[in-house]
Amino acid sequence: MSRVCGSLWRVVLVVAVGAAVGVAARAAPLERPPSSPPPPIPLGPLAPEIVRKAMRGDFSIPSLPPDEAAARIEALLQNGEQDAAEGILGDAVARHPDHPRLLFLLGACTRSRFNVSDAAQVFAALAHRAPATKEGLCAAVVLRMDADHEVERSFDALRLLVEMHPSDPVLLWMLAVQCRAKNSNHEGVHCYRRLARMWRPGPVLLHQTYANLLEFIGSHEAALGERETAVSMERETWSVDSMASTLAALGRYDEAERLYREVLKADPRNVGVWGNLGLCLKHARRFEDAIAVFKENVRRDPGSVRPHTGWIECLLFLDRPEEAREKCIALRESGMRDPWAENVLEYLEWQLNRKADGKPMFVAPTAAELAARSPGNLK
């Protein structure tokens, strides 16, 4: 009787998953009539970083049967060698474009790096070619979620799929990635914690995204351990920048500054990191140094509001209200109207008029307090 109930339960789950994702393959960008041949995967423009690794010959890419190739790739992922796994994947999928597991691994690795559009090409082809497999069902669900279509229902379908195949870490990985994408942070932490027990040490993006989620729930110390693991696996600009941001959140500004400058030495055009460095120096109360960084950030990215507002904040902390006022006016005249800067400008003009009339000025101890004050709120 229990076996019958178990079988019925599985049938119900399959039907539920199928109902939740049935539209996905039909709605996929690579839709074809059932009688047509499977759509090709455009490997040229697909996942350029993965294809580049395969083409430059950094990895040994033996000619293996598809099941054996998939097993080798999963072993590399489990051992923390996502870079090497991706290098083999580009060649393996080119040799075996109809193999569901290889397609799934390629889509999963690409999606884990949040290359959503590239991953969608792979998942659409997989959902079309192998719709009845667990990989094809997962691909269809991910497509729907990334299109923001029936997200909660699709989440339930993905959870059921993981429950049906509890020993498949790649399915769990995709659930965890979707938790990150859809801001389901606590569930995501649970998924990544479970995944870390299954995959030791596991792919670099497991640790990177796990750290992101830990930070979102305020666990910066725990996040730092995951950042350190990610940097040890792939010391790239993105992993070093992320570790610097975690150190800054912990108030370890000197260490964060060194890492930000390491990134900028490798990639001086990375305007986001210029902004991160400026904020780090501002929080360290090194306001003159922060202004110098924000000036460089503005020079490299004049259309971004963030370095302008950071610059204004530093002027406020340095008690240079006239300069802060002029900077707010320049920001307005450039066409970049920022609500915070407008509020600050209104307050400063009111204060400076009081000063001109010989009345005492109110001193805001922090830029945040200053931004919150307006003439209507002050007595």
Side-chain angles (χ1 to χ4, degrees):
M1 182 64 180
S2 60
R3 290 182 181 178
V4 173
C5 290
S7 298
L8 288 174
W9 179 77
R10 288 184 173 274
V11 169
V12 169
L13 287 178
V14 171
V15 170
V17 172
V21 303
V23 179
R26 296 195 298 275
L30 297 179
E31 180 181 349
R32 296 290 188 278
S35 58
S36 67
I41 300 177
L43 284 176
L46 173 66
E49 176 63 15
I50 294 176
V51 173
R52 179 182 62 80
K53 291 172 185 173
M55 296 302 293
R56 75 188 180 203
D58 284 3
F59 305 102
S60 173
I61 307 175
S63 178
L64 297 172
D67 289 345
E68 190 175 337
R72 177 171 296 195
I73 290 161
E74 292 195 54
L76 287 169
L77 290 173
Q78 180 172 345
N79 291 333
E81 300 178 70
Q82 184 169 349
D83 199 50
E86 290 168 348
I88 295 176
L89 263 169
D91 181 76
V93 171
R95 293 172 186 268
H96 309 287
D98 294 315
H99 193 270
R101 193 65 180 179
L102 287 173
L103 284 173
F104 187 46
L105 290 169
L106 178 60
C109 285
T110 308
R111 186 63 184 80
S112 79
R113 293 186 184 273
F114 288 83
N115 296 331
V116 178
S117 59
D118 286 342
Q121 295 183 61
V122 184
F123 284 143
L126 175 55
H128 182 100
R129 298 177 189 197
T133 64
K134 61 180 180 179
E135 293 86 0
L137 287 169
C138 182
V141 173
V142 170
L143 284 170
R144 288 167 69 86
M145 297 186 76
D146 285 340
D148 289 323
H149 183 68
E150 294 187 330
V151 171
E152 287 305 316
R153 187 181 178 192
S154 297
F155 244 137
D156 288 340
L158 192 50
R159 293 183 188 108
L160 287 171
L161 196 56
V162 169
E163 189 175 347
M164 289 171 64
H165 304 278
S167 62
D168 189 331
V170 188
L171 290 175
L172 179 59
W173 194 16
M174 290 301 94
L175 174 58
V177 166
Q178 287 300 325
C179 287
R180 166 68 178 89
K182 304 305 180 186
N183 299 314
S184 183
N185 298 331
H186 287 279
E187 182 181 4
V189 166
H190 172 76
C191 289
Y192 276 108
R193 187 176 293 130
R194 178 180 162 192
L195 192 56
R197 291 194 296 266
M198 297 173 70
W199 264 349
R200 296 193 181 195
V204 61
L205 265 295
L206 182 160
H207 300 281
Q208 175 72 3
T209 312
Y210 187 14
N212 291 341
L213 288 167
L214 287 167
E215 291 207 332
F216 288 142
I217 66 172
S219 299
H220 297 290
E221 287 285 359
L224 182 59
E226 301 300 323
R227 299 289 190 213
E228 290 169 343
T229 300
V231 168
S232 71
M233 290 177 169
E234 288 189 31
R235 196 176 187 92
E236 302 286 350
T237 55
W238 56 267
S239 60
V240 176
D241 176 35
S242 296
M243 184 170 171
S245 295
T246 301
L247 287 166
L250 290 167
R252 294 163 61 173
Y253 301 118
D254 290 345
E255 295 169 81
E257 179 189 2
R258 284 196 293 272
L259 291 181
Y260 283 135
R261 293 194 184 279
E262 176 186 327
V263 173
L264 290 171
K265 184 176 180 181
D267 183 13
R269 295 177 297 179
N270 194 325
V271 292
V273 178
W274 280 105
N276 289 342
L277 175 58
L279 292 174
C280 173
L281 295 171
K282 185 197 75 174
H283 290 308
R285 307 190 69 78
R286 291 168 52 189
F287 301 120
E288 294 287 3
D289 292 338
I291 287 173
V293 170
F294 286 132
K295 284 182 179 179
E296 180 64 18
N297 196 177
V298 167
R299 186 184 74 80
R300 292 176 178 275
D301 189 20
S304 175
V305 170
R306 187 175 77 155
H308 291 280
T309 56
W311 188 345
I312 293 167
E313 283 187 83
C314 290
L315 291 171
L316 294 172
F317 280 116
L318 290 168
D319 194 23
R320 286 150 58 178
E322 290 86 356
E323 290 180 66
R325 174 181 173 275
E326 292 304 315
K327 191 78 183 76
C328 288
I329 292 172
L331 183 63
R332 172 191 283 177
E333 291 178 347
S334 71
M336 294 184 288
R337 299 180 73 91
D338 177 75
W340 180 86
E342 291 292 316
N343 194 11
V344 169
L345 177 59
E346 183 182 12
Y347 177 77
L348 286 174
E349 289 184 331
W350 180 72
Q351 286 278 51
L352 292 171
N353 287 335
R354 287 178 63 86
K355 182 179 181 181
D357 293 340
K359 298 177 181 178
M361 292 178 66
F362 293 97
V363 177
T366 68
E369 282 190 31
L370 182 56
R373 295 185 183 187
S374 67
N377 294 331
L378 293 171
K379 306 298 182 185

